Amino acid sequence: MNGGIVQGWQDTPAVELHNGQSSDDTASFADIYGGAIIGGKSVDGVGGDAFYVHGFGTKANIFGGLFMGGIGQDDNMEGLSIIVQNFASVHIYSGSFQGEMEVGKGSNIIFYGCFLQYGATITGEFVDGTQLGVVVKTKNDGKVSLIAVSEQVCDTQPSMQPTGFPTISPRPTPSVSYGKMMRPSLVSASILLTVLLAGLS
């Protein structure tokens, strides 16, 4: 998907990606780069979910787009922006998400960028600068993974570089003492240059 708008009908998911069999061999796959997926509006219940991914081996890669949970009977956004269940996975590289997410049985939602997790709340920034703030509920051994990438410098998250050990060592960042900031000395630089020239002569 790379554009357009898909809206669900009432309390049903707008887009459903699934594997109806109990084998990875029949898994479904999708790449989403843009467009909008919006859960249906319900007049007498909970709004519909935007993107429902489920089933063995089913996988979605999200590189952009808008995912919005549906509006419920009280005009509140009650539908989920993303729901992942039954051994599926969603890999999120960018995008805008309005409405909570849920990850269930044996499934995983993976965020790529600089992120922090406080309880169920994920905040941070994707590589392209898009900001994220979303609540992800986990059920039945569902997992949330936060993965830093080498193209982005993260102050708080592990990185693939420069250590070469993925998701173990945090990327070093310059420390600044706000009590006393050191500045280069022209006198020291002049003395060093004199010593170097003397050694070459």
Side-chain angles (χ1 to χ4, degrees), residues 109-121:
I109 295 180
I110 304 101
F111 296 92
Y112 294 85
C114 295
F115 298 105
L116 290 173
Q117 182 171 5
Y118 300 95
T121 302

Side-chain angles (χ1 to χ4, degrees), residues 54-89:
H54 62 103
F56 285 85
T58 295
K59 176 182 176 182
N61 297 314
I62 298 175
F63 301 96
L66 170 65
F67 300 79
M68 180 185 297
I71 304 298
Q73 62 179 350
D74 298 323
D75 288 331
N76 295 319
M77 185 179 295
E78 299 170 335
L80 301 170
S81 58
I82 302 285
I83 177 169
V84 192
Q85 293 183 338
N86 298 327
F87 305 98
S89 65

Side-chain angles (χ1 to χ4, degrees), residues 1-10 12-17 30-41 48-53 60-71 77 79-83 90 94-101:
M1 181 173 176
N2 195 28
I5 299 174
V6 179
Q7 184 160 10
W9 172 252
Q10 295 188 357
T12 60
V15 174
E16 183 175 356
L17 183 70
D31 291 337
I32 299 175
Y33 294 89
I37 300 177
I38 303 171
K41 182 176 181 178
D49 302 324
F51 191 31
Y52 184 23
V53 181
N61 297 314
I62 298 175
F63 301 96
L66 170 65
F67 300 79
M68 180 185 297
I71 304 298
M77 185 179 295
L80 301 170
S81 58
I82 302 285
I83 177 169
V90 172
S94 188
S96 297
F97 304 89
Q98 298 182 25
E100 295 181 350
M101 299 181 184

Side-chain angles (χ1 to χ4, degrees), residues 3 10 14 37 46 53 87 105 112 130 173-174 176 179 189-190 195 197:
Q10 295 188 357
I37 300 177
V46 177
V53 181
F87 305 98
K105 184 177 180 180
Y112 294 85
T130 302
T173 55
V176 178
S190 178
V195 172
L197 290 175

Side-chain angles (χ1 to χ4, degrees), residues 187-201:
V187 175
S188 300
S190 178
I191 293 173
L192 178 61
L193 182 58
T194 302
V195 172
L196 290 174
L197 290 175
L200 293 174
S201 60

